[in-house]
Short mmCIF file of all heavy atoms in Angstrom, two decimals:
data_model
loop_
_atom_site.label_atom_id
_atom_site.label_comp_id
_atom_site.label_asym_id
_atom_site.label_seq_id
_atom_site.Cartn_x
_atom_site.Cartn_y
_atom_site.Cartn_z
N SER P 272 -34.64 25.67 -30.82
CA SER P 272 -35.18 24.43 -31.38
C SER P 272 -34.06 23.46 -31.72
O SER P 272 -32.88 23.83 -31.73
CB SER P 272 -36.00 24.73 -32.64
OG SER P 272 -37.04 25.64 -32.36
N GLY P 273 -34.43 22.23 -32.02
CA GLY P 273 -33.45 21.26 -32.47
C GLY P 273 -32.91 21.62 -33.84
O GLY P 273 -33.57 22.31 -34.62
N VAL P 274 -31.70 21.18 -34.12
CA VAL P 274 -31.05 21.50 -35.40
C VAL P 274 -30.52 20.22 -36.05
O VAL P 274 -30.36 19.20 -35.39
CB VAL P 274 -29.89 22.51 -35.20
CG1 VAL P 274 -30.42 23.84 -34.68
CG2 VAL P 274 -28.84 21.95 -34.26
N GLU P 275 -30.26 20.31 -37.35
CA GLU P 275 -29.72 19.18 -38.10
C GLU P 275 -28.20 19.18 -38.05
O GLU P 275 -27.52 19.11 -39.07
CB GLU P 275 -30.22 19.22 -39.54
CG GLU P 275 -31.72 18.97 -39.68
CD GLU P 275 -32.15 18.83 -41.12
OE1 GLU P 275 -31.75 19.67 -41.95
OE2 GLU P 275 -32.92 17.89 -41.41
N GLY P 276 -27.65 19.25 -36.86
CA GLY P 276 -26.21 19.33 -36.72
C GLY P 276 -25.48 18.11 -37.22
O GLY P 276 -24.47 18.21 -37.92
N GLU P 277 -25.97 16.91 -36.88
CA GLU P 277 -25.28 15.69 -37.30
C GLU P 277 -25.41 15.46 -38.79
O GLU P 277 -24.47 14.99 -39.44
CB GLU P 277 -25.83 14.49 -36.52
CG GLU P 277 -25.49 14.51 -35.04
CD GLU P 277 -23.99 14.63 -34.79
OE1 GLU P 277 -23.22 13.87 -35.41
OE2 GLU P 277 -23.60 15.48 -33.97
N GLN P 278 -26.57 15.77 -39.35
CA GLN P 278 -26.80 15.54 -40.77
C GLN P 278 -25.95 16.48 -41.63
O GLN P 278 -25.45 16.09 -42.69
CB GLN P 278 -28.28 15.73 -41.11
CG GLN P 278 -29.18 14.67 -40.51
CD GLN P 278 -29.34 14.79 -39.01
OE1 GLN P 278 -29.24 15.88 -38.45
NE2 GLN P 278 -29.60 13.68 -38.34
N ILE P 279 -25.79 17.72 -41.20
CA ILE P 279 -25.05 18.69 -42.00
C ILE P 279 -23.57 18.69 -41.65
O ILE P 279 -22.71 18.66 -42.54
CB ILE P 279 -25.64 20.10 -41.82
CG1 ILE P 279 -27.08 20.14 -42.31
CG2 ILE P 279 -24.80 21.14 -42.58
CD1 ILE P 279 -27.78 21.47 -42.07
N PHE P 280 -23.24 18.66 -40.35
CA PHE P 280 -21.85 18.81 -39.94
C PHE P 280 -21.21 17.52 -39.44
O PHE P 280 -20.05 17.25 -39.75
CB PHE P 280 -21.74 19.89 -38.86
CG PHE P 280 -22.12 21.25 -39.36
CD1 PHE P 280 -23.33 21.81 -39.01
CD2 PHE P 280 -21.28 21.96 -40.20
CE1 PHE P 280 -23.70 23.06 -39.48
CE2 PHE P 280 -21.64 23.21 -40.68
CZ PHE P 280 -22.85 23.76 -40.32
N GLY P 281 -21.96 16.71 -38.69
CA GLY P 281 -21.38 15.48 -38.19
C GLY P 281 -20.93 14.57 -39.31
O GLY P 281 -19.81 14.06 -39.32
N ASP P 282 -21.79 14.37 -40.27
CA ASP P 282 -21.47 13.51 -41.41
C ASP P 282 -20.34 14.11 -42.23
O ASP P 282 -19.45 13.39 -42.71
CB ASP P 282 -22.73 13.33 -42.27
CG ASP P 282 -22.57 12.24 -43.31
OD1 ASP P 282 -21.70 11.36 -43.14
OD2 ASP P 282 -23.33 12.26 -44.30
N LEU P 283 -20.34 15.43 -42.39
CA LEU P 283 -19.28 16.09 -43.17
C LEU P 283 -17.92 15.91 -42.49
O LEU P 283 -16.92 15.62 -43.16
CB LEU P 283 -19.62 17.57 -43.33
CG LEU P 283 -18.84 18.36 -44.39
CD1 LEU P 283 -19.04 17.77 -45.77
CD2 LEU P 283 -19.25 19.83 -44.37
N VAL P 284 -17.88 16.07 -41.17
CA VAL P 284 -16.62 15.89 -40.44
C VAL P 284 -16.16 14.44 -40.51
O VAL P 284 -14.96 14.17 -40.71
CB VAL P 284 -16.79 16.35 -38.98
CG1 VAL P 284 -15.58 15.91 -38.14
CG2 VAL P 284 -16.96 17.86 -38.91
N ASP P 285 -17.09 13.49 -40.37
CA ASP P 285 -16.72 12.08 -40.45
C ASP P 285 -16.11 11.75 -41.81
O ASP P 285 -15.12 11.03 -41.91
CB ASP P 285 -17.94 11.20 -40.20
CG ASP P 285 -18.39 11.22 -38.74
OD1 ASP P 285 -17.60 11.64 -37.88
OD2 ASP P 285 -19.54 10.82 -38.47
N ARG P 286 -16.72 12.28 -42.86
CA ARG P 286 -16.19 12.03 -44.20
C ARG P 286 -14.83 12.69 -44.38
O ARG P 286 -13.92 12.13 -45.02
CB ARG P 286 -17.17 12.54 -45.26
CG ARG P 286 -18.47 11.73 -45.34
CD ARG P 286 -19.49 12.39 -46.25
NE ARG P 286 -20.79 11.74 -46.17
CZ ARG P 286 -21.26 10.90 -47.09
NH1 ARG P 286 -20.54 10.60 -48.15
NH2 ARG P 286 -22.45 10.36 -46.94
#
Side-chain angles (χ1 to χ4, degrees):
S272 303
V274 296
E275 292 188 313
E277 292 305 312
Q278 292 72 28
I279 298 175
F280 296 105
D282 192 22
L283 195 59
V284 169
D285 288 343
R286 291 172 189 257

